Amino acid sequence: MAMTQPAPAPSAVHEGILRRQSLRESSARTYARSLPIVPVRARGLTIEGADGRRYLDCLSGAGTLALGHNHPVVLEAIKKVIDSGAPLHVLDLATPVKDAFITELYATLPEEFARDARIQFCGPAGTDAVEAAIKLVRTATGRSGLLAFTGAYHGMTAGALDASGGATEVRVTRLPFPRSYRCPFGVGGERGAELGARWTESLLDDPKSGVAAPAAMMLEPVQGEGGVIPAPDSWMRRMREITAARSIPLIADEVQTGVGRTGAFWAVEHSGIVPDVMVLSKAIGGSLPLAVIVYRSGLDAWQPGAHAGTFRGNQLAMAAGAATLAFVRENRLAERARTLGARMLAGLRALARAHPCVGDVRGRGLMIGVELVAPDAATGDTAPPAPELAAAVRQECLNRGLIIELGGRHSAVVRLLPPLTLTDEQAVAVLDRFADAMVAAERSARRGGVGVQPH
Ligand code: PMP
């Protein structure tokens, strides 16, 4: 008779999976390194690991989970498609599920934009939509160059990487993204942003600037990976004026800022601008992979098949996405993100007063960043960034059951991207754990374990 083996202890399962991951998966893996957890269950803000530990997830799939994990309306939408017997894969064919998704998406978009818009379903990642947008404007304008910004992040495929701030050997003109903290012009605020706008104008109008007429300007209304940097609304309007006056299409990359995250359904609504192209992904798929570009119909110069791909028809993602968009709209979660985000920023600013290592607290809605700097070093915005301290804070957060991530030029910005469904009590719990983690990380920094980086 076969003897049943006792089930391995949860901690052994956890350890075993992590060990096999490190042996078998690419050294390019990212989050898996800083967050050595093995999620087995999740609901809302909470993730449970294979070792039985529970975490408050303020990474939200890098901003994807607008409604948190496994929201009932998302699960129900997915089950409905499965139970209906609808095909799950249909290339780019029309289906009732897709039709409903487009209708819901268009209902959320700025009216003036949606009225005359075309949508293209591309490969399912944000970076695929960025590629599609670049290709579209190149076809439509017959030009090839691109205007993009310092600190930008648009993805990891070739074109998107070129447009991102880390790229150097590229056909991209790099313009200064406005930032108050560490303003390249030393003045910050609206004035700093205006100087950046003037620089942009002069490059475009000076026949000897070395900048040819570009195919488009691409920007994030709030830079996410670049360190949570909201662009002033006035600057967004200036970029719209500058590009419109020179017939340069403006691409808004709302992959991370969309679906209520910044306190408006789409971040371009804060400034009231109407872009020519919107790049959308992450939350529009309701936690499943989905990406689209939506653009002014006048740009639709593509021939049939000009931008194809096998995975453009993920029915489950469209159903989950439509349910998410509708839930955010009906429950006014953008407004909720605005008020709760403002309260969390105020809480973090109060916390910062007790911690000289906090150089800056900034954000918009529930896209929040805390920039850490070398304690006891220069004050103001010349203090060197402190990536090791930030990594220590992340680890101390994890030890306390809080998942956060880092971003920014030097990975010294702690980023909070909680779901828009975060309750007041959960927000307090997140800030409490964060405050404790700061104290612990600073203590170990004082013991000499943590260094800083030149900037
Ligand atoms: N654009 C922005 C603004 C992003 O934040 C990201 C992802 N963080 C991307 C594009 C790329 O999306 P993906 O990782 O799905 O390719």
Side-chain angles (χ1 to χ4, degrees):
M1 203 171 80
M3 296 282 287
T4 49
Q5 295 287 328
S11 59
V13 172
H14 164 99
E15 294 298 335
I17 289 174
L18 287 182
R19 195 181 54 252
R20 287 190 292 281
Q21 178 181 46
S22 69
L23 290 174
R24 298 194 291 210
E25 291 189 29
S26 160
S27 54
R29 65 193 187 283
T30 53
Y31 302 106
R33 291 178 188 279
S34 50
L35 304 170
I37 64 174
V38 181
V40 288
R41 256 179 300 276
R43 188 78 168 193
L45 181 66
T46 306
I47 288 183
E48 191 184 318
D51 57 358
R53 289 200 63 197
R54 291 160 75 89
Y55 302 88
L56 305 182
D57 180 11
C58 281
L59 177 56
S60 302
T64 302
L65 304 167
L67 307 183
H69 292 272
N70 291 332
H71 193 282
V73 300
V74 170
L75 295 184
E76 203 184 295
I78 293 172
K79 280 186 198 141
K80 205 168 137 201
V81 175
I82 292 172
D83 292 346
S84 76
L88 298 181
H89 183 280
V90 292
L91 299 167
D92 67 346
L93 303 185
T95 67
V97 172
K98 185 198 243 186
D99 190 57
F101 171 79
I102 297 174
T103 302
E104 183 55 49
L105 179 67
Y106 273 39
T108 68
L109 289 169
E111 210 186 316
E112 198 185 331
F113 182 66
R115 213 182 299 136
D116 179 36
R118 289 290 168 97
I119 184 167
Q120 206 257 351
F121 288 79
C122 40
T127 200
D128 298 321
V130 168
E131 296 293 336
I134 295 173
K135 197 165 151 186
L136 177 84
V137 294
R138 285 185 172 154
T139 304
T141 63
R143 306 177 209 137
S144 61
L146 205 60
L147 305 176
F149 290 88
T150 51
Y153 184 83
H154 297 294
M156 282 280 166
T157 50
L161 261 186
D162 283 1
S164 300
T168 47
E169 292 173 23
V170 290
R171 272 182 310 168
V172 169
T173 301
R174 191 76 52 204
L175 300 167
F177 193 81
R179 45 184 188 152
S180 277
Y181 191 71
R182 305 191 194 284
C183 170
F185 306 107
V187 288
E190 303 256 331
R191 176 89 188 117
E194 175 54 23
L195 291 174
R198 285 195 198 187
W199 174 242
T200 301
E201 276 180 315
S202 82
L203 279 185
L204 293 174
D205 294 343
D206 177 354
K208 297 292 179 198
S209 66
V211 177
M217 171 187 282
M218 182 153 63
L219 54 74
E220 298 156 85
V222 181
Q223 284 192 343
E225 308 303 322
V228 194
I229 307 179
D233 295 340
S234 55
W235 180 86
M236 290 287 287
R237 287 189 284 270
R238 286 281 278 129
M239 291 304 112
R240 179 64 283 188
E241 282 161 21
I242 289 169
T243 48
R246 294 159 182 81
S247 300
I248 300 168
L250 179 65
I251 304 171
D253 180 346
E254 290 242 28
V255 167
Q256 191 163 143
T257 51
V259 194
R261 170 66 52 195
T262 70
F265 204 102
W266 302 104
V268 289
E269 291 168 30
H270 291 296
S271 59
I273 66 156
V274 178
D276 298 293
V277 184
M278 286 178 75
V279 178
L280 313 176
S281 188
K282 289 198 196 276
I284 65 160
S287 74
L288 298 179
L290 187 63
V292 298
I293 54 171
V294 187
Y295 51 95
R296 190 165 51 73
S297 66
L299 290 171
D300 204 18
W302 267 339
Q303 296 298 316
H307 197 63
T310 304
F311 288 112
R312 289 179 289 160
N314 187 331
Q315 301 294 290
L316 295 182
M318 289 175 195
T324 300
L325 295 171
F327 192 88
V328 170
R329 181 171 56 78
E330 286 160 6
N331 293 281
R332 299 172 163 278
L333 292 190
E335 281 173 36
R336 169 72 180 157
R338 189 178 334 155
T339 46
L340 186 57
R343 211 180 309 146
M344 290 181 78
L345 276 179
L348 287 166
R349 288 195 174 115
L351 179 72
R353 286 194 278 278
H355 295 275
C357 66
V358 176
D360 194 28
V361 175
R362 55 182 180 256
R364 198 154 198 181
L366 286 172
M367 201 167 166
I368 295 172
V370 179
E371 182 158 345
L372 300 182
V373 296
D376 310 321
T379 52
D381 68 2
T382 56
E388 291 178 26
L389 178 61
V393 170
R394 176 178 58 193
Q395 182 58 47
E396 295 293 352
C397 282
L398 195 66
N399 296 346
R400 287 159 181 77
L402 175 63
I403 295 174
I404 50 112
E405 245 307 336
L406 306 183
R409 267 71 159 176
H410 307 276
S411 296
V413 180
V414 173
R415 303 187 56 205
L416 296 167
L417 289 165
L420 314 183
T421 48
L422 191 73
T423 65
D424 292 346
E425 296 73 31
Q426 286 171 332
V428 170
V430 166
L431 293 186
D432 281 350
R433 290 184 198 192
F434 181 71
D436 288 349
M438 285 284 298
V439 171
E442 274 182 325
R443 199 183 304 131
S444 58
R446 271 197 300 275
R447 283 201 302 264
V450 169
V452 297
Q453 248 195 18
H455 64 296

